[in-house]
């Protein structure tokens, strides 16, 4: 059958790019960067998805594994450099010390994470190439990215749907499953275009479009059905939480002249108006170590009229320092303590500390030269009216922690997003917190130093919030929970089994094909 004109154009473009590999690589980097526009704060899901389709079309032709790996690295570097541009912000808090490291931090992180994509492209090429094999490889490495080397599942492609009804699918398949589904749907039209033997290009395009939209409509219907779940009404007797947002810029937070300003601001916000059932201060909000904090906690308790408080604080135990949360009772006595267990590499601790100490470099976010020590692991806090799972800052990025058993009644995140700047980072962090609520069917309460502080219901919807870089507080009733979701029960095991099965099938099929 003669080649259709559209096919000929596509093949001509592909041949042209193959003759000029650097053009192909730059196109891959550009498409990767455009795919990242689907992430917060832009949230351009349609553009992000179309860019992913373009990336599969660009790399869907069979090529040598080594060349495919280089192409994948460029695509991943473009995606992560655009999506994680906030990583330069921590280096600019003290620019005279760390500013020179900012470009290296962005290039190093983007290029390092892009190695996962390079591996996916290489593996797909080894198995014969094609968009579906590439989607399988990318889904596998994105799942691995959440666990390998302590994990860093920020900016998953599935997060482009956070502001859409498709995010509700995470209640069934989680963020990695949503990422795998997104990649498969982006690869589908390219695969259909390659497989359909239709001479008329418009007819072929119509069939590809119709089949893709048809399947997308089924997924939309499933998402709408999940979104239609009845969320119980918040009872009048529901506990009322007060979230405090002092808005302490990171370069002023530990300034001796500004510490009392921010502290008094939080005390004043806590003491205003009617008494809530619990007051929440953000991460590391109390400016003294827990061991020395008895007079401070007693003073706060007196000012707020004996309301219990959940406060971000630092504590010491011997020579170890911890980033912690303490539950203070009505008399201001420190009770239950939770220590952050998943620390930020190069922020709260330094891998291979001896090497970095010789260079005079310590963790950016740690207030002690030795960095923080990790706590024993996730644990519940008994608030009296509910069991809460505390997540300090970075820990809310990991879906496996929110699935803690026994199941809590609420997720509580204490965070200091001042480290992430005022543009991309805080909004992406908030989006991931919303996904944790969807995945578990639990409400999530988020007290952030500079924002965005928010109460999020069990469907990931923001009930009440304070905007970024605003000082203030609000009271909100604790939203009810939904029954445990399928993802909360099974986690990533079904997806892992599926990916392994498909991978083995692809390997077996490749071995049956001669050459």
């Amino acid at each position: 059958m003669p080649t259709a004109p559209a096919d000929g154009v596509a093949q001509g473009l592909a041949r042209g790019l193959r003759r000029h590999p650097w053009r192909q690589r730059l196109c891959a980097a550009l498409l990767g960067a455009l795919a990242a526009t689907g992430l917060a704060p832009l949230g351009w899901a349609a553009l992000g998805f179309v860019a992913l389709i373009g990336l599969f079309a660009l790399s869907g032709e069979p090529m040598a594994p080594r060349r495919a790996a280089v192409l994948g690295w460029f695509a991943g570097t473009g995606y992560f450099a655009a999506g994680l541009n906030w990583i330069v912000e921590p280096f600019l808090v003290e620019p005279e010390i760390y500013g020179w490291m900012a470009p290296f931090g962005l290039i190093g992180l983007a290029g390092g994470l892009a190695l996962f994509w390079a591996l996916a492209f290489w593996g797909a090429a080894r198995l014969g190439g094609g968009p579906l094999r590439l989607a399988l490889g990318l889904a596998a490495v994105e799942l691995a990215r959440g666990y390998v080397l302590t994990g860093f599942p920020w900016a998953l492609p599935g997060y482009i749907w956070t502001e859409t009804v498709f995010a509700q699918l995470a209640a069934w398949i989680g963020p990695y499953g949503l990422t795998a589904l997104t990649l498969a749907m982006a690869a589908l039209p390219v695969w259909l275009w390659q497989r359909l033997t239709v001479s008329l290009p418009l007819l072929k395009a119509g069939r590809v479009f119709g089949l893709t939209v048809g399947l997308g409509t089924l997924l939309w219907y499933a998402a709408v059905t999940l979104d239609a779940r009845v969320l119980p009404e918040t009872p009048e007797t529901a506990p009322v939480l007060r979230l405090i947002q002092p808005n302490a810029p990171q370069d002023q937070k530990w300034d001796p002249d500004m510490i009392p300003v921010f502290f008094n601001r939080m005390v004043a916000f806590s003491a205003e108006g009617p008494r809530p059932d619990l007051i929440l201060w953000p991460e590391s909000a109390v400016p003294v170590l827990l061991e020395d904090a008895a007079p401070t906690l007693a003073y706060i308790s007196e000012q707020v009229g004996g309301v219990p408080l959940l406060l971000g604080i630092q504590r010491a135990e011997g020579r170890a320092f911890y980033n912690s949360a303490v539950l203070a009772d009505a008399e201001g006595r420190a009770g239950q303590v939770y220590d952050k267990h998943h620390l930020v590499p190069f922020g709260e601790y330094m891998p291979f500390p001896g090497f970095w100490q010789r260079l005079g470099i310590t963790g950016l976010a740690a207030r002690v030269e030795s960095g923080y020590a990790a706590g024993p692991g996730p644990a519940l806090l008994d608030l009296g009216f509910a069991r809460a799972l505390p997540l300090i800052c970075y820990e809310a990025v990991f879906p496996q922690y929110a699935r803690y058993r026994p199941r809590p009644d609420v997720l509580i995140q204490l965070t200091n997003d001042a480290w992430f700047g005022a543009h991309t980072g805080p909004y992406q962090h908030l989006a991931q917190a919303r996904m944790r609520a969807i995945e578990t069917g639990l409400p999530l309460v988020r007290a952030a130093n500079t924002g965005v502080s928010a109460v999020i219901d069990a469907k990931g919807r923001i009930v009440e919030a304070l905007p970024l870089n605003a000082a203030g507080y609000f009271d909100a009733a604790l939203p009810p929970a939904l029954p445990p979701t399928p993802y909360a029960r099974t986690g990533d095991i079904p997806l892992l089994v599926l990916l392994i099965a498909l991978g083995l099938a692809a390997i077996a099929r490749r071995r049956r094909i001669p050459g």
Side-chain angles (χ1 to χ4, degrees), residues 234-235 238-241 383 385-386 409-412 443-445 455 476-481:
T234 303
V240 175
L241 311 179
L383 304 179
F385 55 80
D409 302 304
V410 59
L411 306 173
I412 294 182
L444 187 145
V445 179
V455 171
L478 178 63

Side-chain angles (χ1 to χ4, degrees), residues 112-286:
L113 294 176
L115 294 175
F116 285 93
W117 284 34
L119 177 62
F121 276 66
W122 176 87
R126 289 280 296 175
L127 294 176
L132 293 184
R133 293 187 183 90
L134 179 56
L136 172 63
L138 285 172
V141 298
E142 285 297 280
L143 174 59
R145 188 161 66 85
Y147 293 91
V148 173
L149 298 176
T150 78
F152 187 68
W154 202 296
L156 294 172
Y159 288 153
I160 68 173
W161 308 114
T162 302
E163 296 289 345
T164 75
V165 71
F166 288 108
Q168 298 300 319
L169 295 173
W172 283 80
I173 59 179
Y176 303 111
L178 187 59
T179 291
L181 186 60
T182 300
L183 295 168
M185 286 298 298
L188 179 63
V190 179
W191 181 80
L192 288 172
W193 184 269
Q194 294 175 348
R195 301 287 291 184
L196 288 177
T197 55
V198 180
S199 58
L200 296 176
L202 289 179
L203 179 60
K204 184 175 183 178
R207 289 186 178 180
V208 170
F209 181 80
L211 290 169
T212 304
V213 170
L215 183 54
T217 301
L218 291 176
L219 294 173
W220 173 83
Y221 179 77
V224 169
T225 301
L226 284 170
D227 192 46
R229 292 171 296 169
V230 177
L231 186 64
E233 292 187 7
T234 303
E236 294 183 1
T237 57
V240 175
L241 311 179
R242 176 170 295 179
L243 277 64
I244 306 299
Q245 184 169 300
N247 191 34
Q250 194 57 45
D251 60 349
Q252 299 178 21
K253 181 177 171 65
W254 300 111
D255 184 330
D257 295 329
M258 295 302 297
I259 285 175
V261 174
F262 300 130
F263 176 77
N264 291 331
R265 181 182 295 174
M266 289 186 285
V267 172
F269 288 156
S270 302
E272 286 186 12
R275 292 176 52 183
D277 295 288
L278 180 69
I279 297 171
L280 294 93
W281 287 17
E283 178 187 12
S284 62
V286 182

Side-chain angles (χ1 to χ4, degrees), residues 39-57:
L39 303 172
L42 295 177
W44 296 345
L47 177 59
F49 185 67
V50 169
L52 287 173
I53 295 175
L55 188 58
F56 281 107

Side-chain angles (χ1 to χ4, degrees), residues 339-363:
D339 297 321
K340 184 177 183 181
H341 66 92
H342 198 130
L343 304 176
V344 182
F346 301 100
E348 294 175 310
Y349 78 98
M350 300 296 291
F352 313 108
F355 172 77
W356 299 106
Q357 286 174 0
R358 284 193 293 271
L359 297 179
I361 298 174
T362 59

